[in-house]
C-alpha cells in the first residue's frame, strides 16, 4: 500500500466550495496545510469560504459552472496559473430537485444530471492529465447514500447517485493517478480515518441543510 499522502504544501481544487460539504472539505484541507482553489457558481459563498479559511494557505476563488463544458475545459489552465500545479481534485458540486418522477420534467432531469454526473466526468477528464504528472495525487468523487437508498421525493437525485461512484472504481481505471486512487469520503468518524486515500472532513462543519442544494433549480 502507498504511503499516506501528506497534504501540507499540496494544491487542491474543490467544486461546490461555496457552502455545505464543499466548504467543510476546503476548510479541512486548509487546516492540513493544503492550498485550495475554490470553485462554485455562488461567488458570495466563495468569498465567505475564503474568509473562513483565512491566510494560512493560498486560497483562490473561481466562478465555475461544472455544467459548462467549455468553462471546465479551460479551468485547469486557470488553476495552474494561480497555483502552479494540482495534487487533489474534489468533485463535490451538486444540486437536488424535490418531487416524484412524474412531477419532474425531462429538462429538470437533464439539468440535474448535467451538474451531478456530467460535471464529474468533465472535471475528471480535464484534470486527470495534471494529476498524473504528480508523484502523489487524489481524484475524489463524492456521492450520496441516496444512490443506494432512494427516499421519497428524490427520484432525480437518487437516479444520478449510482453514476459518479462507479467512475473511480478500481476496474474503471479512471482514478489511477500514480500511487493513489480516488475514494468516496463520508462525513462520519469511522475507520476510514486511517485510509490514506480518503480526504477527511470534520463532521462538525457539515451544518448546512441538504435541501439548500436546491437553490439553483430552474424557474
Amino acid at each position: 500500500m502507498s504511503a499516506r499522502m501528506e497534504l501540507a504544501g499540496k494544491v487542491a481544487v474543490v467544486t461546490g466550495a461555496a457552502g455545505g460539504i464543499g466548504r467543510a472539505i476546503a476548510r479541512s484541507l486548509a487546516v492540513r496545510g493544503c492550498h485550495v482553489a475554490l470553485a462554485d457558481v455562488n461567488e458570495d459563498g466563495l468569498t465567505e469560504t475564503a474568509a473562513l479559511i483565512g491566510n494560512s494557505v493560498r486560497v483562490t476563488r473561481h466562478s465555475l459552472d461544472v455544467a459548462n463544458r467549455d468553462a471546465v475545459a479551460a479551468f485547469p489552465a486557470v488553476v495552474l496559473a494561480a497555483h502552479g500545479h494540482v495534487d487533489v481534485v474534489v468533485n463535490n458540486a451538486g444540486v437536488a430537485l424535490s418531487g416524484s418522477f412524474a412531477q419532474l420534467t425531462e429538462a429538470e432531469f437533464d439539468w440535474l444530471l448535467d451538474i451531478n454526473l456530467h460535471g464529474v466526468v468533465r472535471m475528471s477528464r480535464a484534470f486527470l492529465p495534471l494529476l498524473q504528472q504528480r508523484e502523489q495525487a487524489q481524484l475524489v468523487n463524492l456521492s450520496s447514500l441516496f444512490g443506494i437508498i432512494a427516499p421519497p421525493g428524490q427520484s432525480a437525485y437518487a437516479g444520478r447517485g449510482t453514476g459518479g461512484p462507479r467512475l473511480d472504481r478500481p476496474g474503471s481505471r479512471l482514478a489511477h493517478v500514480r500511487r493513489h486512487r480516488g475514494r468516496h469520503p463520508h462525513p462520519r468518524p469511522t475507520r476510514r480515518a486511517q485510509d490514506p486515500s480518503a480526504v477527511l472532513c470534520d463532521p462538525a462543519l457539515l451544518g448546512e441543510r441538504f435541501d439548500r442544494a436546491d437553490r439553483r433549480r430552474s424557474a
Side-chain angles (χ1 to χ4, degrees):
M1 180 180 290
S2 303
R4 185 182 181 89
M5 184 175 183
E6 176 58 54
L7 289 170
K10 298 296 194 299
V11 175
V13 175
V14 182
T15 65
I21 293 175
R23 174 176 289 175
I25 290 174
R27 293 180 67 184
S28 183
L29 288 166
V31 166
R32 290 162 172 79
C34 187
H35 308 292
V36 286
L38 309 174
D40 204 297
V41 295
N42 182 350
E43 297 185 33
D44 290 339
L46 289 179
T47 299
E48 293 173 4
T49 300
L52 288 169
I53 292 173
N55 299 319
S56 60
V57 297
R58 178 169 175 75
V59 181
T60 57
R61 293 167 291 162
H62 307 273
S63 178
L64 178 72
D65 182 354
V66 296
N68 186 322
R69 187 187 307 272
D70 293 336
V72 171
F75 191 39
V78 173
V79 177
L80 282 180
H83 291 273
H85 62 271
V86 179
D87 304 285
V88 179
V89 172
V90 182
N91 286 316
N92 165 75
V95 294
L97 292 174
S98 298
S100 68
F101 181 84
Q103 290 172 326
L104 298 176
T105 67
E106 183 175 352
E108 287 177 315
F109 265 87
D110 287 344
W111 172 78
L112 183 143
L113 290 172
D114 210 24
I115 297 168
N116 292 8
L117 179 58
H118 298 305
V120 173
V121 174
R122 294 185 186 106
M123 285 288 297
S124 299
R125 191 182 302 278
F127 279 94
L128 191 60
L130 299 183
L131 295 176
Q132 289 174 323
Q133 295 174 12
R134 307 300 294 168
E135 182 64 23
Q136 290 184 314
Q138 292 278 8
L139 174 61
V140 182
N141 296 330
L142 272 70
S143 185
S144 170
L145 184 63
F146 284 8
I148 302 173
I149 303 173
Q154 290 293 332
S155 58
Y157 187 81
R160 172 267 167 193
T162 57
R166 282 159 176 74
L167 288 175
D168 57 10
R169 294 285 180 170
S172 73
R173 301 297 178 185
L174 172 63
H176 279 265
V177 284
R178 290 296 178 96
R179 292 186 288 177
H180 286 265
R181 183 168 62 238
R183 300 289 180 87
H184 310 286
H186 296 280
R188 55 179 180 169
T190 67
R191 62 183 178 179
R192 182 173 292 277
Q194 302 301 319
D195 186 342
S197 295
V199 173
L200 304 177
C201 56
D202 184 349
L205 300 177
L206 306 182
E208 295 194 13
R209 292 169 57 89
F210 171 81
D211 58 9
R212 292 192 63 183
D214 195 27
R215 66 187 182 275
R216 292 186 55 215
R217 183 173 182 171
S218 303

